Each structure stands twice: as C-alpha cells, then as structure tokens.
Amino acid sequence: MSVGIAPGGPHTGLGGLCEDIRGALAGWVPGMLGVHVHRSVSGLAEVARLVGAVADAAEVTVLPGDGANARAELHTAAARSSTAAAGRAATDVRVELAAVRAGCRRAAVALGLRVPVTF
C-alpha cells in the first residue's frame, strides 16, 4: 500500500478516506477498465459516482483473473459508497468508506494485481 492509501497515512478524516479510495483506483482502473480518475475528489457524492462508474465499466470489460469476484466486490463497494453519500442518520460514514476502500482492494487482488500490505 502506498503512503497515500495507508490507513495511518497522511490523509485523515472523511476527505482523506475519499482521497485514499481515489488514489487506490487511480493506480489500476484507467489502464484496465478505461475509466478516467480525476486528480482529486471533492466529497462523498463524487466518490460514489467514481466507484459506480468503475463497477459499471467492469460489467462490460473482459477481466483477467477472477473477474466475477472483482465485479461483485466493485458492485458492493459502489452500493456502500452510495450509502455513505446518502448521509442517513444511522450510517457510520467512516465505516462505509473503509469498506469501500477494502472492496476496491479485494477487486484488484481478484484481478491478479499486486496490492502491497503495510502494518
């Protein structure tokens, strides 16, 4: 995991989690799925749109490795990012964003990409 996406990295708070997700996707999504990832995200709704676009692109792309599992992880991440963006009172947004980040990482692993781990 690079410094920018490490759980204890320089990004903190909700904006940091959003940036962590964007950074993780920027590492592999443009080349594999053809989805443009902007240099920054401005909030929960933008992260939800990005993850949703990635999940949609995975549906129409022939994927290496365990493509079915990667698609499932991305769709689950998209649903959780939408839940976080909706801002319902009972929603723990940090938990939802952490799950989105983990789902995107699991999708990358399912596709055979290397995802470094830090402790």
Side-chain angles (χ1 to χ4, degrees), residues 37-59:
V37 178
H38 296 283
R39 290 181 183 246
S40 66
V41 290
S42 61
L44 298 172
E46 195 168 325
V47 167
R49 281 191 297 275
L50 172 61
V51 177
V54 169
D56 290 345
E59 281 299 316

Side-chain angles (χ1 to χ4, degrees), residues 20-46:
D20 289 347
I21 294 164
R22 186 217 58 84
L25 292 174
W28 63 273
V29 167
M32 186 165 287
L33 298 176
V35 175
H36 175 72
V37 178
H38 296 283
R39 290 181 183 246
S40 66
V41 290
S42 61
L44 298 172
E46 195 168 325

Side-chain angles (χ1 to χ4, degrees), residues 84-110:
R88 294 183 190 97
T91 302
D92 186 340
V93 175
R94 290 185 57 81
V95 169
E96 294 297 329
L97 289 178
V100 170
R101 179 177 55 192
C104 292
R105 290 176 53 81
R106 286 190 301 270
V109 169

Side-chain angles (χ1 to χ4, degrees), residues 1-8 20 24 101 105 114-119:
M1 202 174 342
S2 74
V3 173
I5 61 172
D20 289 347
R101 179 177 55 192
R105 290 176 53 81
R114 291 179 184 225
V115 179
V117 176
T118 59
F119 296 96

